Amino acid sequence: MNWLTEIVRPKIQKTTPKEIADNLWIRCPKCNQMLFSKELKTSHYVCTSCGYNLPLYVDNRFKLLFDDKAFTIVELPLIKDDPLKFKDMQKYSDRLKNNRKKTGLQDAVSVARGKIGGISAIVCALDFSFMGGSMGLAVGEGIVKAAQLALEDREPLITVAASGGARMQEGMLSLMQMARTTAAINELKEAGIPFISILTDPTTGGVSASFAMLGDVNIAEKGCLIGFAGQRVIEQTIHEKLPEGFQRAEYLLEHGMVDMVVERKDMKSALENVLKILCANIKK
């Protein structure tokens, strides 16, 4: 019996990304430092060596933002799978099944409600671990549902973007979600309901070109990638070298595209301060 392949490897495979054992080590993708997972959980999955923000799964995101880590998950409408019967290297329906099994999520979007700084709020978050947080029918429906709840109950809406953009397996149907989510956010603005957009690494493609950049206040996590097209594509198109730090949160702050750049550990307190200001004049 090979001890590594027969005993150690199966035990590691049984550990899902959401349930990283405290005695495991994780390599930082930026500085390659080996990080003890127990300490990583304490730091909200921020590298203690270089400050790089590792992906934060949606349940941990909710615990980070809501008071006392208390929140209620909102049930979202079920959307028909694979409307185009799409197939690339595998069937889209099989890809969905595999991602659901891997992440425990129905799709890339989750909506929860609770209190943030004592203020009732609705948070709609994308999870990059589910097909890169890509926006298809289910994600669009989730954001629209969250906006409708915020409008009905006159509560602020916070979205947390972590996405590679529109979901290619749903073609034009995925691109239509850019218009749907934008329309839903505009209804909130017309009613005077605060909308705060939190941008995390990465926020790109159709997500950055729709709801994610429409916040009354746009807050970016430190160092996160924000943009529409990739840097290499832009350079090949304009035939110029892009400046240092292009499409990073700090660069966008300097050029007026985001309002705040906040470290993950300070995100809740920053959000509380913004909510207190924006919610002062909400009439129930």
Side-chain angles (χ1 to χ4, degrees), residues 142-172:
I143 295 166
V144 170
K145 174 70 173 180
Q148 289 173 341
L149 288 174
L151 188 61
E152 291 169 4
D153 298 336
R154 299 194 66 77
E155 295 179 356
L157 172 64
I158 299 105
T159 59
V160 184
S163 176
R167 186 168 297 176
M168 60 168 285
Q169 291 87 352
E170 295 185 20
M172 183 60 72

Side-chain angles (χ1 to χ4, degrees), residues 185-203:
I185 297 305
N186 283 339
E187 286 189 7
L188 290 182
K189 292 178 178 290
E190 290 171 3
I193 306 299
F195 169 54
I196 301 170
S197 177
I198 297 176
L199 311 166
T200 72
D201 190 53
T203 299

